[in-house]
Amino acid sequence: MARWAALVVLVVVGTAVAVATNPGFVARITQKGLDYASQEGVAKLRKELEKIKIPDISGRFKIKHFGKVRYSVYSMVIRRFQLPTSRITLVPNVGLKLSISHASVAISGKWKARKSFIKTRGNFDLSMEGISISVDLKLGSNSNSGQPTIACSSCSSSINRVRLHISRSKLGWLIRLFRKKIESVLRKTINSEICKAVRKAVSSELQPYFQTLPVTAKIDAVAGIDYSMVAPPLATANSLDLQLKGEFFSLAHRTPSPISPSALVFPTERDRMVYLGISDYFFNTAGFVYQRAGVLKLTLTDDMIPKESKFRLTTKLFGTLIPEVTRRFPNMKVRILLSVTSPPHLTVDSTGLALTPELEAQTFVVLPNSSLAPLFQLGLSTNVSVMVGVNSDRLIGQLTMDKLQLKLKHSDVGPFSVQSLQTVMNYLLPLLVLPSVNERLQKGFPLPLPARIRLFNLVLQPRQDFLLFGADVYYG
């Protein structure tokens, strides 16, 4: 049941619809995904049905000119339960329907009959063919936990043909006399047990598996991601959809985000099993949380520069550009505190993803007593291109940057042209800053996937205000 559960959980991860709160993370499962769920899940369901325990049957029947005969049918075992044709379909505004047809079951057991002092017993084989099973699955959400819910709202089954074969016995003709009665009782019993098994599988396996879909994910000591549902699942004629909050939040002090998510308009693509939409809101709440926490800063020192480089963070280097530096601080090391001054804003459109961060560089001299003396303060701006991908179950990224634009905000060494520092800063940031940032981005951020689900065969399409990921799904 876990394979089926995994896909059905993904079924409950959907698209943008008109809700009071727009989602930051949306997803959709297509009919292709439902077909995979049917294939994998029904194989497991078959094993569950083969575990059905058939209760013993006993009673009396009357034979003309012979009187009443007691009988018992017992020790019945399902040898084989075949489910050759199955399909999961969408029920708009309700959920899913599992339909199984042309199923069959083979049962073997024992029988015995008694009339006064006459006793007889034997074995039998019973086949049931043309079995149809219909299961309605209602999807919802828990308003307290933000998790999806699933329940079996209805189940029915029917059996077209029942055939009883009695093994050879001197008095086997006795049991054959009431074969129709036994077939009728077993037909009713198996019909009832099929739906009992289905309901049990949904409540004891499928619903608990839904709980493995993460509502929150801790990223590090600073932030987590809220993946709770903002609306109940919605079944349409072509997909089953759900909206997730998709918002980074501070672990230390959670407050409502000042950013508002835009409505996302999903395309009609159906080539992949699952489509995930990641809003620019998702990325921008991350920038807001980390910038507000004061962690978007990095101190650049000479020790970070490769030893073989002729470029050194010393007053000698800066003195060639700003003579006053060398005059006041000869042969001393320089330290630069680089920080992001406002939450970085990411934009997404059909051309790709871009950041325009506003940076500040405070430059200091390291004095002989290890204290710091300020030199100057620069404002830096640049355009950053963002490449995003998925590695298994994590969202990963990589940044590349254009040349920096510099502005002098304050100087303790007199006026100078910032153009003279252009080469220095355009060397330092790609060398010392980008590798550190990209290393963190390559570790990735967890996607809201249930246990043991992996994505493959991915396709990425930047759209207006969101990223669209198409993927096929593997459970294992």
Side-chain angles (χ1 to χ4, degrees):
M1 186 60 61
R3 288 179 183 268
W4 184 26
L7 265 295
V8 176
V9 171
L10 283 176
V11 165
V12 190
V13 183
T15 192
V17 295
V19 292
T21 303
N22 289 324
F25 191 106
V26 299
R28 166 174 291 173
I29 189 166
T30 64
Q31 186 60 52
K32 181 180 179 182
L34 293 176
D35 292 341
Y36 178 74
S38 178
Q39 170 191 329
E40 296 293 332
V42 169
K44 179 64 175 177
L45 181 60
R46 178 181 61 81
K47 295 180 180 180
E48 295 298 318
L49 291 172
E50 288 179 344
K51 296 177 184 178
I52 288 176
K53 302 297 183 183
I54 306 174
D56 297 344
I57 300 171
S58 61
R60 296 181 182 182
F61 66 98
K62 188 175 181 179
I63 302 175
K64 191 175 182 180
H65 307 307
F66 196 75
K68 293 182 178 180
V69 177
R70 292 179 178 272
Y71 72 90
S72 295
V73 180
Y74 59 99
S75 297
M76 289 175 282
V77 177
I78 293 177
R79 293 186 290 106
R80 183 176 61 255
F81 212 128
Q82 295 182 327
L83 307 173
T85 307
S86 65
R87 185 171 175 83
I88 296 176
T89 54
L90 294 152
V91 182
N93 301 315
V94 177
L96 302 170
K97 177 184 284 292
L98 170 64
S99 301
I100 298 173
S101 58
H102 308 298
S104 62
V105 60
I107 300 171
S108 49
K110 298 179 180 181
W111 65 270
K112 62 183 178 181
R114 177 180 179 179
K115 168 60 178 175
S116 299
F117 58 88
I118 301 175
K119 296 180 182 179
T120 185
R121 65 180 64 227
N123 299 323
F124 72 89
D125 293 306
L126 182 138
S127 65
M128 297 183 179
E129 299 174 346
I131 300 175
S132 297
I133 305 171
S134 178
V135 182
D136 289 327
L137 298 170
K138 185 176 181 179
L139 299 170
S141 61
N142 186 315
S143 59
N144 294 322
S145 67
Q147 291 180 311
T149 61
I150 185 169
C152 178
S153 57
S154 69
C155 175
S156 63
S157 64
S158 63
I159 302 170
N160 188 18
R161 295 180 300 278
V162 181
R163 296 176 181 174
L164 181 66
H165 174 72
I166 306 298
S167 62
R168 292 181 180 180
S169 171
K170 292 180 180 179
L171 296 177
W173 58 271
L174 275 176
I175 203 75
R176 292 188 186 97
L177 291 174
F178 59 94
R179 177 172 60 188
K180 293 298 183 183
K181 182 177 181 62
I182 292 177
E183 289 176 350
S184 176
V185 172
L186 285 175
R187 180 196 298 265
K188 183 178 180 181
T189 299
I190 293 299
N191 266 331
S192 174
E193 293 297 325
I194 286 174
C195 282
K196 284 182 182 178
V198 170
R199 291 181 187 277
K200 180 181 178 182
V202 172
S203 63
S204 65
E205 296 191 46
L206 194 54
Q207 175 59 31
Y209 189 83
F210 268 47
Q211 306 309 305
T212 69
L213 187 69
V215 174
T216 59
K218 182 179 178 181
I219 305 305
D220 46 36
V222 175
I225 305 175
D226 186 342
Y227 282 129
S228 62
M229 296 170 62
V230 298
L234 176 68
T236 67
N238 299 311
S239 64
L240 189 68
D241 309 326
L242 171 145
Q243 305 85 45
L244 307 179
K245 198 175 186 83
E247 176 186 293
F248 279 74
F249 63 91
S250 170
L251 295 178
H253 183 61
R254 185 166 185 175
T255 56
S257 174
I259 308 169
S260 297
S262 303
L264 306 186
V265 181
F266 255 65
T268 57
E269 275 85 346
R270 301 176 187 175
D271 294 337
R272 298 296 194 273
M273 295 180 185
V274 176
Y275 286 92
L276 306 177
I278 307 175
S279 169
D280 56 2
Y281 173 80
F282 176 86
F283 299 103
N284 288 327
T285 57
F288 173 78
V289 169
Y290 283 104
Q291 195 276 334
R292 188 173 183 181
V295 297
L296 297 184
K297 57 179 63 176
L298 182 66
T299 299
L300 310 182
T301 64
D302 185 66
D303 296 338
M304 299 168 67
I305 299 175
K307 292 181 179 180
E308 62 272 16
S309 174
K310 295 181 180 180
F311 188 103
R312 310 312 312 177
L313 264 182
T314 63
T315 54
K316 181 178 180 180
L317 169 69
F318 284 92
T320 60
L321 306 173
I322 311 169
E324 183 66 15
V325 172
T326 304
R327 189 184 69 80
R328 294 175 55 182
F329 306 102
N331 299 320
M332 296 184 188
K333 289 188 176 182
V334 172
R335 183 174 297 178
I336 299 174
L337 176 60
L338 189 70
S339 60
V340 179
T341 57
S342 61
H345 182 73
L346 179 139
T347 58
V348 186
D349 58 30
S350 59
T351 63
L353 289 76
L355 276 171
T356 53
E358 293 296 325
L359 309 173
E360 184 177 86
Q362 294 178 287
T363 307
F364 302 90
V365 168
V366 182
L367 300 176
N369 63 1
S370 297
S371 62
L372 302 177
L375 291 177
F376 51 83
Q377 183 176 335
L378 300 175
L380 300 86
S381 60
T382 184
N383 294 319
V384 177
S385 297
V386 185
M387 299 294 294
V388 178
V390 173
N391 182 5
S392 184
D393 60 347
R394 301 183 75 84
L395 183 69
I396 59 175
Q398 184 169 336
L399 307 182
T400 57
M401 58 181 288
D402 292 342
K403 289 185 178 181
L404 291 160
Q405 301 299 317
L406 275 59
K407 178 181 179 180
L408 182 63
K409 300 180 73 173
H410 177 75
S411 174
D412 290 285
V413 289
F416 62 89
S417 172
V418 294
Q419 298 303 316
S420 61
L421 295 176
Q422 195 82 34
T423 301
V424 175
M425 300 310 294
N426 278 311
Y427 174 81
L428 287 176
L429 267 69
L431 177 70
L432 305 182
V433 178
L434 273 187
S436 176
V437 174
N438 285 333
E439 181 182 8
R440 173 62 188 89
L441 293 177
Q442 284 299 306
K443 292 179 180 179
F445 305 96
L447 292 170
L449 301 178
R452 302 182 67 183
I453 279 292
R454 296 293 180 267
L455 304 178
F456 71 99
N457 199 20
L458 283 92
V459 60
L460 169 63
Q461 300 174 1
R463 300 295 181 107
Q464 188 62 46
D465 299 327
F466 75 102
L467 270 176
L468 179 68
F469 278 101
D472 288 325
V473 173
Y474 171 75
Y475 174 89

